[in-house]
């Protein structure tokens, strides 16, 4: 999977980011993909090789460190 593959244009409404694990979505009403990624990260999302919502990010991190 390419980086930011789950960041998709929502047309005039901005961009949508989707979690790899739970498919929770985050809508960002911004102009560009890089702005959407930055806005999602500001709100606790991990966007990279895997895209994770804040809850899945916490669960995944806890599982890897246990």
């Amino acid at each position: 999977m390419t980086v930011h593959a789950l960041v998709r244009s929502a047309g005039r409404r901005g961009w949508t980011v989707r979690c790899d694990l739970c498919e929770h979505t985050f809508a960002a009403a911004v102009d560009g993909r890089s702005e959407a990624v930055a806005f999602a990260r500001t709100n606790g999302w991990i966007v990279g090789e895997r895209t994770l919502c804040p809850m899945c990010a916490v669960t995944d991190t806890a599982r890897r460190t246990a």
Side-chain angles (χ1 to χ4, degrees):
M1 180 183 319
T2 61
V3 176
H4 312 314
L6 299 176
V7 180
R8 298 201 192 316
S9 175
R12 299 178 94 182
R13 295 178 293 177
W15 294 81
T16 301
V17 180
R18 185 174 57 98
C19 180
D20 284 338
L21 296 178
C22 71
E23 297 188 14
H24 180 233
T25 59
F26 176 81
V30 294
D31 289 332
R33 177 180 288 213
S34 60
E35 293 171 327
V37 168
F39 191 43
R41 286 180 174 157
T42 300
N43 284 281
W45 284 69
I46 294 176
V47 182
E49 283 295 317
R50 294 178 67 197
T51 301
L52 301 173
C53 69
M55 184 55 105
C56 289
V58 168
T59 304
D60 189 58
T61 302
R63 184 177 59 219
R64 284 188 287 147
T65 58

